[in-house]
Amino acid sequence: MKAGKAFVAGMVGGAVMSVLMWMARTMMGMPANLEMMLGTMVTDPGTTAWMIGFVTHLMISGAIALIYAWAFEHVTHRAGWLVGAGFGVVHAIIAGMVMGMMPMIHPRMPNPVMPPGAFMSHLGTMGVVAEFMLHLIYGAVVGAMYGAVIHARAGVADGRPLRT
């Protein structure tokens, strides 16, 4: 498993998610601010909270990419943007359920941070769509950046059957 490459790919995928959420906030007025939600777990809302949340998000994204890498190596025996996006669907379901549990683990919800709801449902239909799309994009980035797997299936090299 290429742990370093996977971790960096996850951090890039997390950064892409953050940029897309920022674009949704500024262009569409969607109040999705994962960085602020994570940062306010330890401090009051503000720039410091956002920075703490951003770094936390990048670290979590890198760690989750290690799970993707394990699955690329031992489950699908291949990687790529499409396989990563497929894993992103599973990731979106798990993350959506965790979003619904945030008030139970976040010490400052519902005040001053409003809970996003399961699958970001408190933001309406677009929130749910965004939650899934962001995780599909994250998975595609991780899969594309990971590259070829180390543990190919027995009898298969580079996707082509071995000749005996």
Side-chain angles (χ1 to χ4, degrees):
M1 186 169 93
K2 301 180 286 187
K5 193 167 193 174
F7 195 85
V8 169
M11 289 178 61
V12 170
V16 167
M17 289 176 77
S18 290
V19 167
L20 292 173
M21 283 185 283
W22 171 78
M23 290 172 64
R25 282 192 304 274
T26 55
M27 291 193 261
M28 298 169 42
M30 181 179 282
N33 196 335
L34 178 63
E35 299 81 14
M36 189 64 75
M37 183 177 69
L38 291 171
T40 55
M41 291 179 96
V42 295
T43 190
D44 293 327
T47 305
T48 301
W50 191 90
M51 291 300 296
I52 290 169
F54 179 66
V55 170
T56 302
H57 183 234
L58 293 182
M59 295 297 110
I60 292 169
S61 297
I64 290 170
L66 295 173
I67 298 168
Y68 276 61
W70 182 89
F72 293 149
E73 295 289 345
H74 300 285
V75 177
T76 61
H77 304 283
R78 62 190 178 105
W81 72 269
L82 190 57
V83 177
F87 288 160
V89 172
V90 175
H91 184 181
I93 292 168
I94 295 166
M97 291 187 292
V98 170
M99 288 290 191
M101 295 185 287
M102 284 307 292
M104 292 181 267
I105 56 178
H106 195 301
R108 297 169 190 245
M109 279 189 180
N111 198 5
V113 181
M114 292 307 296
F119 302 96
M120 290 182 19
S121 59
H122 290 175
L123 302 178
T125 303
M126 284 306 295
V128 176
V129 170
E131 197 268 337
F132 273 90
M133 292 306 297
L134 287 167
H135 287 92
L136 267 97
I137 292 167
Y138 168 86
V141 168
V142 171
M145 287 183 68
Y146 188 75
V149 300
I150 296 171
H151 299 101
R153 286 186 197 156
V156 177
D158 298 325
R160 297 174 297 202
L162 293 175
R163 296 182 194 249
T164 54

